[in-house]
Amino acid sequence: GESVGLHLPTLSVQEGDNSIINCAYSNSASDYFIWYKQESGKGPQFIIDIRSNMDKRQGQRVTVLLNKTVKHLSLQIAATQPGDSAVYFCAENTRFNTDKLIFGTGTRLQVFP
Amino acid sequence: DAGVTQSPTHLIKTRGQQVTLRCSPKSGHDTVSWYQQALGQGPQFIFQYYEEEERQRGNFPDRFSGHQFPNYSSELNVNALLLGDSALYLCASSPGTGNTEAFFGQGTRLTVV
């Protein structure tokens, strides 16, 4: 498949280690946040979401942390696996503009055996 | 459930031509959004359709138009193609308005030569 991002920030981790991917958002009115995973040649795949009334949400092997004070979002992946290799995007939305998602620039995660 | 399906998967067009891309939403979803993803960037919102009407539009020229059919499927039309229109075009569906998870299709890779 064709590469999604050729010059994206890259995080390289060893298989089994934990990964942390960070995202800064600019709109203080944003109140809904989503992390997407995009593999080469595919569309974005939903990973986990969080609303602004929460600061932490856990899924299977993933945790999203939200710090509204500094407008920062992070995705933690536990026990990273080769299948986690992809480009990860954060996206934001607001209750006043619920019709579109605003995506960040993305981070490429590379997992080495 | 087939999820969100898009056609065609790849397309090559000549500058100045017109193109139509198609999207079938996930079963039970009535809202369709279109995004443009240039290489190395995050998806950019084009517009969203709900109840067969364009509800909101991103910063794209009038050359970009769309349609939603009674069965909730949607088309994206681009007229007078420019080289810069080359991108991955993504369709996302969701179950109505509000802050809800959007499911993406695989995308259509459009190349304008």
Side-chain angles (χ1 to χ4, degrees), chain A residues 13-16 37 39 61 79-86 88 109-113:
Chain A
V13 300
Q14 192 161 19
E15 181 179 358
K37 171 186 180 182
E39 297 174 282
R61 280 202 309 119
T80 312
Q81 302 169 0
D84 295 327
S85 295
Y88 289 80
L109 176 65
Q110 293 181 331
V111 183
F112 294 97

Side-chain angles (χ1 to χ4, degrees), chain A residues 2-8 31-32 34 36 38 41-46 49 51 89 93-95 97-106, chain B residues 10 33 35 37-45 47-48 55-59 88 90 92 97-107 109:
Chain A
E2 191 169 341
S3 175
V4 170
L6 299 179
H7 303 293
L8 293 170
D31 58 2
Y32 178 57
I34 310 174
Y36 284 95
Q38 189 171 25
K42 298 183 178 181
Q45 176 187 359
F46 173 91
D49 60 1
R51 301 188 187 278
F89 292 98
N93 202 345
T94 72
R95 70 172 70 90
N97 189 10
T98 59
D99 294 353
K100 69 178 183 182
L101 294 172
I102 300 172
F103 283 81
T105 54
Chain B
H10 294 83
S33 302
Y35 291 79
Q37 185 176 26
L39 201 61
Q41 298 182 21
Q44 299 292 313
F45 178 82
F47 42 52
Q48 184 180 79
R55 181 162 59 187
Q56 188 169 359
R57 189 179 185 89
N59 188 26
L88 181 68
L90 295 162
T97 63
N99 291 347
T100 58
E101 176 184 339
F103 289 83
F104 283 82
Q106 299 277 70
R109 170 64 64 185

Side-chain angles (χ1 to χ4, degrees), chain B residues 38-79:
Chain B
L39 201 61
Q41 298 182 21
Q44 299 292 313
F45 178 82
I46 302 176
F47 42 52
Q48 184 180 79
Y49 278 85
Y50 174 69
E51 293 188 342
E52 301 180 48
E53 291 189 357
E54 182 182 296
R55 181 162 59 187
Q56 188 169 359
R57 189 179 185 89
N59 188 26
F60 280 80
D62 292 345
R63 298 187 298 108
F64 289 77
S65 63
H67 187 79
Q68 185 178 34
F69 299 93
N71 66 353
Y72 308 123
S73 67
S74 177
E75 289 182 348
L76 165 65
N77 301 293
V78 187
N79 296 322

